[in-house]
Amino acid sequence: MNKLTAPDGTAKRWDMRIAVVDDNPMNITVVKEILKRAGYSDMLTASSGVELFALLGLRADGSEPEDAKVAGGGDSHGIDLILLDMMMPGVDGITACRHIQQSPRLRNIPIIMVTAIGDSKKLAESLDAGAIDYVTKPINRIELLARIRVALRLKEQKDWHKERDRRMNEELLLAREVQYAALPQPVDDEGIAIDAIYRPSEELSGDLYAWHRIDDNRYGIAVIDAMGHGISSSLASMFIASVLKEAMTKQVEPKRVVKELNRRSQQLQFADQLIQYYFTGLYMVVDLNKGVLEYVNAGHPPGLLIRGDGQVESFALGGAAIGLFSEIATEKHALAIRPGDRILLFTDGMYDLVGSDYEEDREASLTELLRPFDGRTPVKAIEEALFGGELREGAEADDRCIVIVDIK
């Protein structure tokens, strides 16, 4: 921002645009002269609220056009501050201020109300409408310039935060694309099909899933849930995802994979010793030749095996979560599988879809909810059935992930 120093010591801002709104031409002349001598040379004027709306790209009634376009001056049409007369015929200053505050692209423009009355109720109404300050007539030059400087500093701070938020949102969207790109593509092989439904609660997720073809007959499949959700948990999950990919390739056997994940998660050290990330996870190896799946559950919700005849079997409950302790005990379990079976692995965000807060009841409720989705139900139909509506009342949004494995 280019700044020079005016004779009175005021910062001269060539790129600060101030709109002066008053139905009295003499008042506009006086204010413009004060601003000009103080170094503010970029000014717009309006003699009514309707004229101000036109400057701001609003309709005559103060509403936002459907096809509102951002002008070259930015989302506020280049106006950095409005000096607005309170008492004007037609649309008065308070009404104009209220309409401006209702526009998302204009509400950050600071408005200083100019009034000839000392009615405290009117002044309070102006502030309630969105004005940040006021000056009284006859205008005191020193007071006016001081309030303008404060208002413009506030505008600069708001613009800075808005630009920072914009950049952060862009970076979050990019990070989300990277996170999605790291997830595996669906598998549709001769003896098995693997797919997933993935619903982050925010731009980024702490949930992840992975699968890997070990050999002609075996597939390693995992679902992981990092503590919390959002940016921090997504970064932790991306770390564990890289470890998981390597472990699935080199370690293969479920107990060894989970132990390797736990060992590597201990590398997540933080300056704040009170912060410790942990993960729940379920890793299984499906052996199509032997007709068996072997798995280790590390503090994760138990998966479900929906048989071709409609019978449902639950996976065993897990032990300690990954990352909580330097050494964890693991127990391997096995289930027989046959063509027509469907395996469902999911994260605890899926419990938001059922109504009970008690662990035993929610396990049973979720099982009943998922029971109809056997191997004949397409994945898209499952997604629509589970996530087409809203969450139950009072439920907090969480990352949701479900992995669907069909044995052919």
Side-chain angles (χ1 to χ4, degrees):
M1 183 176 296
N2 296 322
K3 295 183 181 180
L4 297 176
T5 302
D8 63 355
T10 304
K12 190 169 186 176
R13 303 160 187 261
W14 293 100
D15 54 356
M16 283 295 183
R17 177 172 289 181
I18 300 175
V20 183
V21 187
D22 199 306
D23 62 325
N24 188 326
M26 182 57 68
N27 290 338
I28 290 180
T29 300
V30 170
V31 172
K32 286 182 63 179
E33 186 63 23
I34 293 174
L35 295 178
K36 183 178 179 181
R37 292 187 179 185
Y40 299 101
S41 60
D42 192 357
M43 288 171 276
L44 299 174
T45 62
S47 61
S48 67
V50 174
E51 284 189 22
L52 174 62
F53 292 159
L55 290 177
L56 297 172
L58 298 175
R59 295 193 182 101
D61 62 358
S63 61
E64 187 81 77
E66 294 295 330
D67 59 346
K69 302 295 184 181
V70 176
D75 63 355
S76 62
H77 284 231
I79 295 176
D80 297 289
L81 173 67
I82 300 173
L83 297 176
L84 182 57
D85 187 26
M86 180 186 292
M87 304 300 294
M88 293 185 295
V91 179
D92 62 20
I94 295 176
T95 302
C97 183
R98 188 173 291 114
H99 282 297
I100 293 170
Q101 289 298 306
Q102 291 172 353
S103 168
R105 66 185 177 88
L106 301 173
R107 61 172 57 129
N108 284 334
I109 304 177
I111 298 175
I112 297 177
M113 203 66 73
V114 182
T115 177
I117 63 174
D119 188 340
S120 59
K121 290 184 179 180
K122 283 291 183 183
L123 293 175
E125 189 177 350
S126 299
L127 297 174
D128 288 340
I132 67 166
D133 209 341
Y134 67 91
V135 293
T136 57
K137 301 176 183 178
I139 293 177
N140 180 290
R141 183 182 68 88
I142 295 176
E143 178 186 0
L144 174 63
L145 295 178
R147 294 182 186 274
I148 286 176
R149 288 194 295 270
V150 171
L152 290 177
R153 281 199 297 269
L154 176 62
K155 176 66 161 55
E156 289 176 349
Q157 292 172 2
K158 286 185 175 181
D159 288 347
W160 183 86
H161 284 288
K162 189 172 184 179
E163 175 63 17
R164 184 192 63 176
D165 291 344
R166 184 192 65 79
R167 292 197 305 268
M168 181 174 293
N169 287 333
E170 288 181 352
E171 291 172 359
L172 285 174
L173 290 176
L174 176 60
R176 179 172 182 168
E177 293 300 319
V178 171
Q179 191 172 45
Y180 269 87
L183 297 174
Q185 294 298 308
V187 169
D188 191 5
D189 290 344
E190 182 178 352
I192 192 171
I194 313 172
D195 206 341
I197 302 171
Y198 189 61
R199 289 295 184 94
S201 62
E202 300 176 1
E203 284 83 359
L204 301 176
S205 173
D207 291 357
L208 70 95
Y209 56 86
W211 45 76
H212 169 68
R213 184 171 183 172
I214 301 169
D215 53 36
D216 290 343
N217 296 305
R218 292 185 299 164
Y219 293 79
I221 303 168
V223 60
I224 303 289
D225 186 358
M227 176 193 69
H229 49 85
I231 296 176
S232 58
S233 62
S234 69
L235 291 174
S237 73
M238 290 299 288
F239 167 80
I240 210 71
S242 65
V243 175
L244 176 62
K245 183 176 181 180
E246 181 181 356
M248 289 169 64
T249 304
K250 295 182 178 181
Q251 305 296 333
V252 179
E253 201 276 333
K255 294 180 70 171
R256 294 176 62 185
V257 168
V258 171
K259 285 184 177 293
E260 177 64 8
L261 291 178
N262 188 72
R263 184 185 72 82
R264 293 291 300 277
S265 66
Q266 298 297 311
Q267 297 174 2
L268 290 174
Q269 301 295 329
F270 300 91
D272 187 346
Q273 297 300 315
L274 296 178
I275 298 177
Q276 182 181 18
Y277 277 96
Y278 64 88
F279 313 84
T280 66
L282 194 154
Y283 175 70
M284 69 179 182
V285 173
V286 177
D287 191 323
L288 299 177
N289 187 41
K290 294 181 178 179
V292 65
L293 69 84
E294 297 180 331
Y295 67 92
V296 169
N297 187 345
H300 201 76
L304 295 177
L305 175 58
I306 304 178
R307 300 290 186 184
D309 60 5
Q311 296 297 313
V312 178
E313 297 180 32
S314 292
F315 284 44
L317 291 172
I322 298 165
L324 278 179
F325 309 105
S326 58
E327 296 289 339
I328 59 173
T330 58
E331 183 178 0
K332 185 170 68 175
H333 303 272
L335 287 170
I337 54 173
R338 50 184 177 267
D341 289 349
R342 167 167 281 178
I343 304 159
L344 301 178
L345 308 180
F346 43 82
T347 58
D348 62 4
M350 294 293 295
Y351 291 127
D352 291 338
L353 303 179
V354 297
S356 177
D357 294 323
Y358 296 100
E359 185 170 354
E360 296 80 1
D361 292 341
R362 69 181 187 175
E363 297 284 359
S365 298
L366 187 59
T367 298
E368 290 305 309
L369 177 66
L370 298 177
R371 182 186 295 275
F373 303 129
D374 57 21
R376 294 167 293 185
T377 308
V379 174
K380 288 293 184 183
I382 298 175
E383 185 172 13
E384 178 61 29
L386 294 178
F387 304 113
E390 297 296 326
L391 287 178
R392 65 184 178 87
E393 184 177 357
E396 294 184 4
D398 194 3
D399 301 324
R400 298 181 206 84
C401 171
I402 179 169
V403 174
I404 303 161
V405 182
D406 289 323
I407 308 301
K408 298 181 181 180

